[in-house]
Amino acid sequence: MRRFLARLIGTARQARADAELEREMAAHLALLEDGFRRRGLAAADARAAAQRALGSAAYARDLHRDARSVACLDDLGRDLRYALRTLRRAPGFTFVVVMTLALGIGANTAIFSVVNSVLIRPLPYTDSARLVRVWENVPGAEIGNGKGPNRRYAAMDVADLLAVSERSRALANVAAFSFARATITIDGDATRMDGFGVSPGFFPMLGVAPLVGRTFAPEESIAGGDRVLVLAYDAWQRFGGDARVLGRTVAFTGNSLGWFSDGIVPEVPYTIVGVMPPGFHFPYDNAQFWIPRAPARSPDGRPVRRETVARLADGVTPVAAAAEMAAIRSDVRGASTSMVGGRPRYELIPVQDELTGPVRPALLVLMAAVGVVLLIACVNVANLLLARTASRQREIAVRAAIGAGPGRLVRQLITESLLLAGLGGVLGIALAFGGVRLFRLLATTLGRSDLGLASVFPRLSEVSVDAAALGYALAVSIATGLVFGLAPALRHARPRHAALLRDLSASPRSTIGGSLVVVEIALATVLLVGAGLLITSFVKLSTVDPGFEPAHVLTFQVLQSTSPRPEEQRVFAETFVERLRGVPEVQSAAYGRQLPLVQLQDSLTVTLRRGDVDVTLAGEGADVRFVSRDYLKTMGIPIVAGRGLTEADGEGRPGVVVINDALARRSFAGSTPVGQIILFGPQGHRVPLEIVGVAGNVRQFGLDRAPEPQYFMDIRQVPTDPALRAPPLFPVGAYYSVRATADAGAIAAAARAIARQLDPHATLTDVATMEQIVSNSITRPRMYAALVGVFAAVALALAVIGLYGVMAYSVAQRTREIGVRVALGAERRDVMRLVLRRSLLLTAAGIALGVAFAAGLTRYLESMLFGLRPLDAATFAGVAAMFAAAATLASYVPARRAASVDPLVALREE
Amino acid sequence: MERIEILQGTLDLIVLRALATMGPQHAYGLAARLEQVAEHPLMLNQGTLYPALVRLEQNGWIKGSWQKTENNRDAKYYAITRAGTRALEKQTDRWHRLAGLVNKLLVDER
């Protein structure tokens, strides 16, 4: 201990101690000199002899320094300075190594940031690991007329919900919520607000305090006292972001009969009582406000379903809680099916898994991909370092000869590689910031809930390079520095000094370089195969025929400041579209309750009239579209038989319908559908519709999903009388579509002006071209293809550089041998063949190894692929061929150099 | 010329012993003395001697001070301290035991 203290002090007082030692050794030298002179040597000889006798002063000083200080601290400084000098002398080498590492570390840090932000970091709610979403699997025997298919609901029957929240011990809390869509006019502009009606336990369960004001009191969930609302932070900003917003009243407008009105009464004042902190958007990203809403059974006894979130009691597993819920249900209802199609009645899924589950496999694939890139980078750098250290043999031998111990040499080499890794790490972190921005750009969607959650990336707004990611980058840098630095350090730190000083050419040819390149090529092949599959899949997806012509079509919704009834909405839409047609550039304009790729599904069973008998086709639903007569024309959906909807159809005229090809093939196989009758509406209210035409298939719910049976009704013929129990005309408002020759911005401006003529506060919302909507639907496949593609490109480049490096180095080392061969009569061709053969052997081995690995790994991509299998032969072959070509190109230059070796020069060189 | 490598750890003992019997010495004096005792050039380069001196001084077993030699040159003289004397006794003891053991082993194995 005492020595250690003395050493620490010694480290601090380096300069003084050095001077002291210098003086002591000078004295020693003088004494020696005196001695030699006494023995009769001349002054100069005596000095020389003394110096010889004293030995290497530098070595003594080094050892002395080691003895008196904490050597590592002290050496570190010197090693770093030395390493910096060395690297500065080889700027090309340094640049390549640092860039290689920066790419590896940067890609890793960026993807780790995403993985950490999305999968690892807990959700910002109290003890969020215990929050679960409830799914219910319902047997077909309990649905509709008792003959439906088994279904899986994200919502619970309210009767069961109430029983469970009363009796459950496994659940600490249960809360229900339902979606509400309304319009609020702010500063004269109608503004869409999506929100949720939430049960009293909702906010306390999440444990997030409001930023301003309060959340709901229990009595506010009772009808009549429920005219209060809490705003999300961003909605608050639209109200000015001022605390004086508390107590202010707002009136919602909108269709109180829509599916998503959730009991909001239009045109009555609601009081703002609180504002949630930024980023709080439970249960979905589109949440702009919350209103209190106690789950209640419907008065007419029909089952009501509510989405449910629950908090598990301490120590209870989701499976145990689900079993208890099923038991409570059986208890309350007498008996009930507890297993449905092999699955339990209830399934509780942690909220975070529910949210991030769809992207988890892909994120893990990306993480693996960047891991491979980093491995390749390390291998590449190790290779470069090996080659360089080999060429530094003489320097190392000299250092060893003047007294550097093997430990010091290893330390020096490791310091150099850590310094390189550190530089790479710093640059990599900068790249990671860029990479995360790129990721967010690639993952950003139109952010519309009506286009489906499949394209929205969960927690995207939380994705950032945070402290954890920086720590990760640091750890990765150090680890890589050690990994790629250790091999050359151990290999060369014990040089055969004497031999090396005499003859450098005696060093054996390295085969390590070769095997490293094989590994590198194999890893890159795996990535390239993955990227090839994803890219081919994306190309297939983006070139698939959607069934409509998305170019030149603009779509939007119109928000009104009033609360029109469904038939008034239809009148508004008719007038609006009529005026739109008057705009010169507009070729056709239409409206309807949905658009292609809008995720609103109304699947109704199809009833056919055969002769005098009505036949309901069991289990054969078809998706119903309520559209204006120009919809098919505007969307570019072709009519393949009969006619489309026309002006002459309409209210009061005989009912007509256009079915799609899929429905024709399924339900009218072997007969001509045109002229037949199908029946629309619930039993007792059926309306006969004559099939007048057959339209082409549309990929309604995603480009990756096969077209489903559909039929198109003229929206003017859809009954709006609630007594007829027809589905609501516009559950989320009408969608307009315009095909025009002018650009989208001009058409949108014209549409806005027309809307303002009809309603002075009207605004356009969800404005997007059909091309944007199509592109939005394939955001994730595009992102995966782009990211893995970039990583694979980097891997390919690194592997080719690695191969080039090894070949160039081996040619340089064998210059003399090649010279001898040429002198003995070898042709240029022979020499080139010699080099190319080795390179091709390495490449072939690498590709073979890589293909074998890839064949075992690509099945993890299966869920991300469209239209091809994980073992797609064409992709595998293409990648192998591409790699072989790139490798040949990379080894051509060294081969040429080898072939042009001048034997005279080569032999004289030594 | 046969080289005798000094056994790890024994140099400290030798230096302490030399200082104890000869009184304060400078490094050159110590080196000369060791060569003389060894009767043939001990492979004792300065690189070994100086760290040993530092080590001993850090342990507080010897103490260095700048003095004039008989030829009026500056030199750092090292003297054994009280702690050094105690350490010397202990180390000598240990050395004898170790040497005895090694000798015995070597003789028995022969």
Side-chain angles (χ1 to χ4, degrees):
Chain A
M1 193 61 219
R2 180 181 168 157
R3 256 196 89 199
F4 182 72
L5 278 179
R7 274 170 171 238
L8 266 183
I9 294 166
T11 309
R13 295 187 186 157
Q14 208 59 265
R16 223 176 76 189
D18 270 352
E20 170 99 4
L21 178 70
E22 209 69 55
R23 190 169 157 216
E24 195 173 345
M25 291 191 50
H28 194 138
L29 201 63
L31 290 171
L32 268 172
E33 216 178 307
D34 285 352
F36 281 118
R37 218 161 327 152
R38 270 201 301 279
R39 281 184 236 166
L41 282 173
D45 293 344
R47 172 163 293 265
Q51 252 151 10
R52 258 199 314 277
L54 188 60
S56 159
Y59 182 46
R61 204 176 303 133
D62 254 13
L63 286 177
H64 189 266
R65 221 195 285 250
D66 280 2
R68 72 171 184 253
S69 63
V70 183
C72 53
L73 279 183
D74 177 40
D75 287 340
L76 186 66
R78 260 176 314 143
D79 283 352
L80 271 179
R81 277 192 297 280
Y82 183 79
L84 266 175
R85 268 207 310 277
T86 316
L87 295 183
R88 211 178 299 144
R89 270 204 307 271
F93 166 82
T94 309
F95 176 78
V96 170
V97 168
V98 168
M99 280 314 291
T100 304
L101 289 171
L103 283 173
I105 295 171
N108 268 272
T109 307
I111 295 301
F112 175 79
S113 296
V114 178
V115 168
N116 181 45
S117 309
V118 176
L119 299 184
I120 300 174
R121 216 191 285 156
L123 293 169
Y125 315 113
T126 304
D127 207 357
S128 61
R130 279 162 56 202
L131 290 176
V132 290
R133 288 290 309 272
V134 177
W135 286 83
E136 184 178 359
N137 297 305
V138 180
E142 292 176 23
I143 296 170
N145 55 7
K147 283 188 267 177
N150 289 352
R151 279 195 66 178
R152 182 173 167 81
Y153 289 99
M156 273 181 85
D157 190 314
V158 165
D160 299 326
L161 180 70
L162 293 172
V164 163
S165 54
E166 211 166 276
R167 300 196 192 186
S168 175
R169 289 164 178 282
L171 300 177
N173 271 310
V174 182
F177 56 86
S178 49
F179 178 57
R181 168 166 278 191
T183 307
I184 297 180
T185 303
I186 303 171
D187 299 334
D189 285 331
T191 307
R192 165 163 292 164
M193 293 281 240
D194 284 351
F196 291 87
V198 299
S199 70
F202 181 85
F203 284 110
M205 173 190 297
L206 298 173
V208 179
L211 183 69
V212 179
R214 60 179 180 88
T215 56
F216 307 125
E219 66 274 14
E220 282 170 338
S221 295
I222 298 159
D226 58 359
R227 305 250 163 97
V228 288
L229 83 157
V230 167
L231 288 176
Y233 185 85
D234 18 4
W236 182 43
Q237 297 306 308
R238 289 203 238 161
F239 281 100
D242 189 323
R244 279 173 298 181
V245 80
L246 296 185
R248 183 170 157 185
T249 59
V250 295
F252 292 103
T253 55
N255 177 8
S256 62
L257 293 174
W259 276 356
F260 302 116
S261 60
D262 197 33
I264 290 177
V265 186
E267 316 284 358
V268 302
Y270 280 69
T271 308
I272 299 170
V273 297
V275 176
M276 294 308 285
F280 182 89
H281 286 296
F282 201 81
Y284 295 111
D285 278 352
N286 58 340
Q288 295 285 297
F289 69 89
W290 296 266
I291 51 174
R293 193 63 80 232
R297 295 183 179 85
S298 100
D300 59 5
R302 278 193 295 175
V304 177
R305 288 192 173 272
R306 283 280 174 272
E307 288 191 66
T308 308
V309 58
R311 177 178 288 281
L312 296 172
D314 206 7
V316 176
T317 64
V319 173
E324 192 210 50
M325 286 175 67
I328 292 173
R329 185 180 194 279
S330 311
D331 203 29
V332 170
R333 296 183 180 253
S336 103
T337 325
S338 64
M339 292 298 283
V340 182
R343 308 191 77 130
R345 179 103 206 177
Y346 293 108
E347 284 179 76
L348 306 189
I349 298 173
V351 168
Q352 186 157 359
D353 293 358
E354 169 90 17
L355 188 63
T356 61
V359 296
R360 171 183 291 267
L363 282 183
L364 296 182
V365 165
L366 287 178
M367 200 70 218
V370 289
V372 170
V373 171
L374 184 64
L375 259 176
I376 295 174
C378 276
V379 170
N380 223 6
V381 171
N383 230 338
L384 281 168
L385 239 66
L386 266 175
R388 184 175 141 81
T389 321
S391 67
R392 280 172 69 189
Q393 287 283 16
R394 193 190 286 270
E395 173 205 328
I396 290 169
V398 168
R399 295 194 71 204
I402 60 170
R408 280 309 315 278
L409 285 175
V410 169
R411 247 180 359 229
Q412 174 62 48
L413 290 174
I414 293 278
T415 307
E416 268 182 46
S417 46
L418 281 179
L419 180 66
L420 284 170
L423 290 174
V426 170
L427 206 59
I429 287 171
L431 278 179
F433 276 97
V436 165
R437 282 184 64 168
L438 175 71
F439 178 87
R440 290 182 63 154
L441 204 69
L442 282 170
T444 296
T445 54
L446 295 173
R448 281 165 51 177
S449 56
D450 61 341
L451 297 179
L453 291 172
S455 59
V456 178
F457 203 92
R459 304 185 78 184
L460 186 62
S461 61
E462 296 174 51
V463 172
S464 63
V465 183
D466 61 359
L470 293 181
Y472 176 84
L474 184 71
V476 168
S477 306
I478 292 175
T480 51
L482 288 178
V483 166
F484 69 70
L486 217 51
L490 290 182
R491 196 170 148 80
H492 291 288
R494 292 176 185 280
R496 301 142 300 251
H497 342 18
L500 279 170
L501 282 175
R502 266 198 307 277
D503 184 5
L504 270 172
S505 65
S507 83
R509 210 173 75 212
S510 140
T511 50
I512 292 191
S515 35
L516 283 181
V517 160
V518 170
V519 170
E520 223 175 352
I521 292 175
L523 290 172
T525 304
V526 172
L527 261 194
L528 275 177
V529 168
L533 290 172
L534 288 172
I535 290 170
T536 312
S537 161
F538 173 71
V539 169
K540 286 193 176 201
L541 197 54
S542 51
T543 51
V544 79
D545 178 14
F548 54 93
E549 289 164 22
H552 310 298
V553 177
L554 180 72
T555 69
F556 52 87
Q557 293 197 284
V558 176
L559 292 179
Q560 291 173 255
S561 61
T562 55
S563 307
R565 304 189 56 75
E567 58 275 17
E568 293 166 347
Q569 282 181 302
R570 194 158 59 187
V571 170
F572 179 94
E574 283 289 337
T575 319
F576 179 75
V577 165
E578 193 52 49
R579 293 198 190 175
L580 258 182
R581 279 196 204 103
V583 176
E585 293 88 356
V586 170
Q587 293 166 316
S588 74
Y591 69 97
R593 79 197 294 245
Q594 284 124 317
L595 290 174
L597 300 173
V598 162
Q599 310 286 313
L600 254 187
Q601 195 164 3
D602 281 342
S603 196
L604 301 175
T605 50
V606 174
T607 307
L608 305 180
R609 177 162 291 170
R610 293 215 169 115
D612 291 335
V613 192
D614 293 351
V615 186
T616 300
L617 301 173
E620 291 185 12
D623 190 56
V624 58
R625 313 262 106 184
F626 301 157
V627 296
S628 74
R629 50 224 169 271
D630 284 336
Y631 175 80
L632 296 176
K633 192 171 113 196
T634 308
M635 279 296 159
I637 301 170
I639 297 289
V640 295
R643 65 170 176 92
L645 304 170
T646 64
E647 199 62 48
D649 302 313
E651 217 172 348
R653 305 281 303 160
V656 293
V657 67
V658 171
I659 65 172
N660 77 348
D661 196 41
L663 182 57
R665 280 173 201 278
R666 192 194 65 189
S667 299
F668 299 92
S671 64
T672 313
V674 175
Q676 300 206 43
I677 302 292
I678 69 172
L679 297 155
F680 172 77
Q683 200 145 22
H685 303 288
R686 283 185 175 147
V687 183
L689 304 171
E690 185 193 345
I691 298 170
V692 294
V694 178
N697 290 333
V698 171
R699 290 184 186 253
Q700 177 64 37
F701 300 108
L703 297 184
D704 57 342
R705 286 177 53 180
E708 284 167 47
Q710 279 188 330
Y711 58 100
F712 300 90
M713 273 179 77
D714 187 324
I715 197 164
R716 293 171 298 174
Q717 296 187 335
V718 178
T720 53
D721 183 353
L724 296 180
R725 288 171 59 188
L729 269 191
F730 301 115
V732 290
Y735 285 96
Y736 295 91
S737 45
V738 183
R739 179 173 291 276
T741 49
D743 75 275
I747 296 300
R752 190 174 295 112
I754 293 170
R756 290 261 162 162
Q757 292 167 10
L758 298 172
D759 176 343
H761 302 301
T763 54
L764 263 50
T765 186
D766 289 355
V767 183
T769 64
M770 229 27 234
E771 280 174 326
Q772 282 175 311
I773 289 177
V774 169
S775 156
N776 182 75
S777 77
I778 50 176
T779 301
R780 277 193 211 163
R782 174 172 45 239
M783 173 174 73
Y784 299 149
L787 289 178
V788 179
V790 167
F791 298 150
V794 169
L796 173 67
L798 290 182
V800 168
I801 290 173
L803 178 67
Y804 170 81
V806 164
M807 293 320 296
Y809 177 62
S810 105
V811 166
Q813 276 203 324
R814 294 169 71 185
T815 305
R816 187 177 184 167
E817 176 203 327
I818 293 167
V820 172
R821 281 170 188 267
V822 174
L824 292 179
E827 298 272 335
R828 267 174 68 101
R829 242 178 328 132
D830 303 329
V831 173
M832 277 190 75
R833 199 180 298 139
L834 187 76
V835 176
L836 283 177
R837 193 200 298 133
R838 177 162 141 87
S839 137
L840 286 181
L841 270 176
L842 293 177
T843 312
I847 291 175
L849 205 61
V851 164
F853 275 138
L857 289 171
T858 49
R859 61 200 156 92
Y860 294 109
L861 293 179
E862 186 143 30
S863 65
M864 297 160 77
L865 297 182
F866 168 80
L868 76 174
R869 281 166 314 151
L871 291 178
D872 186 59
T875 305
F876 274 74
V879 165
M882 187 171 90
F883 220 132
T888 312
L889 222 62
S891 44
Y892 183 72
V893 177
R896 273 285 300 276
R897 192 177 309 148
S900 62
V901 162
D902 179 344
L904 278 178
V905 176
L907 294 176
R908 206 187 295 136
E909 220 171 43
E910 288 299 323
Chain B
M1 205 167 358
E2 195 192 357
R3 294 169 57 153
I4 295 182
E5 300 258 358
I6 292 200
L7 216 56
Q8 190 74 41
T10 52
L11 181 60
D12 292 10
L13 184 61
I14 293 170
V15 170
L16 282 177
R17 178 72 192 162
L19 292 179
T21 51
M22 296 167 61
Q25 287 291 324
H26 44 63
Y28 169 69
L30 273 172
R33 165 74 182 157
L34 293 183
E35 278 183 21
Q36 186 190 350
V37 170
E39 288 174 357
H40 50 115
L42 197 64
M43 278 315 286
L44 176 71
N45 68 32
Q46 324 311 322
T48 336
L49 184 55
Y50 278 100
L53 290 173
V54 173
R55 211 160 41 230
L56 292 171
E57 197 171 9
Q58 278 173 348
N59 282 339
W61 292 345
I62 61 173
K63 194 160 170 51
S65 59
W66 286 91
Q67 292 173 23
K68 294 273 179 212
T69 65
E70 55 268 38
N71 296 340
N72 207 25
R73 285 193 182 277
D74 276 333
K76 194 169 177 184
Y77 277 78
Y78 293 93
I80 189 160
T81 64
R82 197 121 32 96
T85 317
R86 271 200 304 277
L88 175 60
E89 280 167 25
K90 229 154 90 196
Q91 299 279 336
T92 312
D93 216 45
R94 256 182 53 192
W95 172 252
H96 282 311
R97 265 181 292 150
L98 179 67
L101 177 71
V102 172
N103 261 332
K104 207 160 156 228
L105 280 173
L106 292 179
V107 171
D108 288 353
E109 300 290 312
R110 195 172 280 168

